[in-house]
Amino acid sequence: MTFQEFMEKVTARNSHEPEFLQAVKEVVETVWDVYEANPRFVKNNILERIVEPERTIIFRVPWMDDQGNVHVNRGYRVQFNSAIGPYKGGNRFHPSVNLSILKFLGFEQIFKNSLTTLPMGGGKGGSDFDARGRSDAEIMRFCQSFMAELYRYLGPDTDVPAGDIGVGAREVGYMYGYYKKLMNEFTGVFTGKGRTWGGSLIRPEATGFGVVYYTEEMLKVAGRSFDGMRVAVSGFGNVAWGAVQKINELGGKVVTISGPDGYILDEEGISGDKIECMVKLRTSNNDRVGDYIQDYPNAKFFPGKRPWEVPVDVAIPCATQNELHLEDAKNLVNNKVFCVTEAANMPCVPEAIELFQGNKILFAPGKAANAGGVATSGLEMTQNSMRLSWDREEVDERLHAIMRNIHEACLENGKQDDGYVNYVKGANVAGFLKVATAMCDQGLV
Ligand code: NDP
Ligand code: 2IT
């Protein structure tokens, strides 16, 4: 079978799932030569098997609002691949959630988790629930109803969810509490738990810290560092918050953050108490980044626009999939961006990635650069199993070492003859080899 024929077959089977097909194409394109060169992979038809989830659960989530009205949402869990460990990946609550988005996220998670070197398979779940404007009690009732169905498919050695867009410490708390009530078991079945009930230090910051550690390694190879770099960040959620902290620590200057309502440009730099202001804006009920200028009037708000028109050295999209379009990439290239790191999952459209790579700009794919979040989830699972907790320094050191190793693996598998590093290929090949080998070893299951 040629790559073309393979994609035609996958497209025919999943024709209404554009995000999933986008993620599959990117991975399969870059691992195709490695796949074909390995007769064992071909004989076991690994590629056709790896793009089919082991199990997908779709369920009704009924809940009652504060006025007594009954609502129905759709809940999902895609248990994609368990070749190297229990299914592992976040739950996303956002009105845009559908099966295509969760399948793309679950598929990416397989290779990301493999890159961490920890024993975790790939999964993802969530719901099209819109938390905006909802009270705390409504969110709790929704989480409980969601878990009343999902609990039967989870377990600390079966499937271990965590947070993602719209799911933070509060939602994990409500879901974990209800799981515990139903199962009468206190286990490490969720990660991102609260500090006093099994959560790991550094997990809230881990994705953002990991993104910056990874970028630091890329810059090092190119003889540069964060010191004095101007950085554009998008989003203002959990990942953006962690990244902005670490960039500041390393001497970089963050000049933008963004939300669905537009972006903030703060030429004085987003540091100190401004970083905590992001949390306040995100957790406030109107959830608009534009309100930043009420606290910091020297900053400017550009409604309805994306931050990629601002000249910067480093760009780090931290919001959501396909948020950085071709015209944004053109702006960044024209403004001489040096490095682009995906912190969100699949934030750059394929044409944008092609443009960055064609211009030999350092470019890191999300599945490598943002793996620090799930890696620290893996460390949380380890601590839960050992029934002890590590201090901040220990978790941070392990996270840092994991990010350096991921970078090294990408470098090894992605270095081209002309010296340019194709980090996309490097990450996909390194992540794929381990899972494909495990699938061959375990027979036809
Ligand atoms: P959060 O919910 O904390 O933050 C996401 C933020 O991005 C929200 O403020 C959201 O606003 C905003 N946003 C959504 N759409 C857009 C848009 N089109 N333009 C600008 N901003 C937008 O989620 P996280 O920070 O956890 O997740 C961000 C990304 O990082 C996602 O792609 C996620 O999959 C990925 N990721 C998360 C990890 C984690 O550990 N949390 C780990 C690895 C990756 P609103 O809700 O109002 O739309
Ligand atoms: O996309 C991701 O890697 C996450 N949302 C984190 C998953 C996890 O299990 O910590």
Side-chain angles (χ1 to χ4, degrees), residues 18 23 39 92 115 120 143 181 206 232 260 269 298 319 332 348:
R92 173 179 293 193
L115 283 169
M120 299 182 290
C143 290
K181 181 184 170 76
N298 288 345
L332 286 165
C348 300

Coordinates of all heavy atoms in Angstrom, one line a residue, residues 18 23 39 92 115 120 143 181 206 232 260 269 298 319 332 348:
P18 N -12.5 15.8 10.4 CA -11.3 16.5 9.9 C -10.1 16.7 10.8 O -9.0 16.5 10.4 CB -11.9 17.9 9.5 CG -13.2 18.1 10.3 CD -13.7 16.7 10.5
A23 N -4.5 15.0 12.1 CA -3.5 14.4 13.1 C -2.9 13.2 12.5 O -1.7 12.9 12.6 CB -4.1 14.2 14.4
P39 N 9.8 -4.8 8.2 CA 8.8 -5.9 7.7 C 7.9 -6.4 8.8 O 6.7 -6.7 8.6 CB 9.7 -7.0 7.3 CG 11.1 -6.4 7.1 CD 11.2 -5.2 8.0
R92 N -11.7 17.0 28.3 CA -11.9 18.4 27.9 C -13.4 18.8 27.9 O -14.2 18.0 27.4 CB -11.4 18.6 26.4 CG -11.7 20.0 25.9 CD -11.2 20.2 24.4 NE -9.7 20.2 24.4 CZ -9.0 20.6 23.3 NH1 -9.6 21.0 22.2 NH2 -7.7 20.6 23.4
L115 N 6.7 9.2 24.2 CA 7.9 10.1 24.3 C 8.4 10.3 25.8 O 9.6 10.5 26.0 CB 7.7 11.4 23.6 CG 7.7 11.4 22.1 CD1 7.2 12.8 21.6 CD2 9.1 11.2 21.6
M120 N 2.6 4.7 29.9 CA 1.2 5.3 29.8 C 0.7 5.1 28.3 O 1.4 5.5 27.4 CB 1.2 6.8 30.1 CG 1.6 7.1 31.5 SD 1.5 8.9 31.9 CE 2.8 9.5 30.9
C143 N -20.4 17.5 36.6 CA -19.2 16.6 36.8 C -19.7 15.3 37.4 O -19.2 14.2 37.0 CB -18.1 17.2 37.7 SG -17.3 18.6 37.0
K181 N -16.8 7.9 45.7 CA -18.1 7.5 46.4 C -18.6 6.3 45.7 O -19.1 5.3 46.4 CB -19.1 8.7 46.3 CG -20.4 8.4 46.9 CD -21.3 9.6 46.7 CE -22.7 9.3 47.1 NZ -22.9 9.4 48.5
A206 N 3.2 22.2 35.2 CA 4.1 21.3 34.5 C 4.1 21.5 33.0 O 5.1 21.4 32.3 CB 3.8 19.9 34.9
A232 N 5.7 35.9 22.1 CA 4.3 36.0 22.0 C 3.7 34.7 22.5 O 4.1 33.6 22.1 CB 3.9 36.3 20.6
P260 N -10.5 34.1 23.3 CA -11.4 34.1 22.2 C -11.9 35.5 21.8 O -12.3 35.7 20.7 CB -12.6 33.2 22.6 CG -12.1 32.5 23.8 CD -11.0 33.3 24.5
G269 N 5.9 44.0 29.4 CA 6.1 42.6 29.8 C 5.1 42.1 30.7 O 4.7 42.8 31.7
N298 N -1.7 50.5 30.7 CA -0.6 50.8 29.7 C -0.6 49.8 28.6 O 0.0 50.0 27.5 CB 0.8 50.8 30.3 CG 0.9 52.1 31.2 OD1 0.1 53.0 31.1 ND2 1.9 52.1 32.1
A319 N -3.4 28.0 23.2 CA -4.8 28.0 23.4 C -5.5 26.8 22.9 O -6.0 26.0 23.7 CB -5.4 29.3 22.7
L332 N 4.6 36.0 11.1 CA 5.7 35.7 12.0 C 7.0 35.6 11.2 O 8.1 36.1 11.6 CB 5.4 34.4 12.7 CG 4.4 34.5 13.8 CD1 3.9 33.1 14.3 CD2 4.9 35.2 15.1
C348 N -1.1 24.8 15.2 CA -0.7 25.3 13.9 C -1.3 24.5 12.8 O -1.2 23.3 12.8 CB 0.8 25.3 13.7 SG 1.7 26.3 15.0

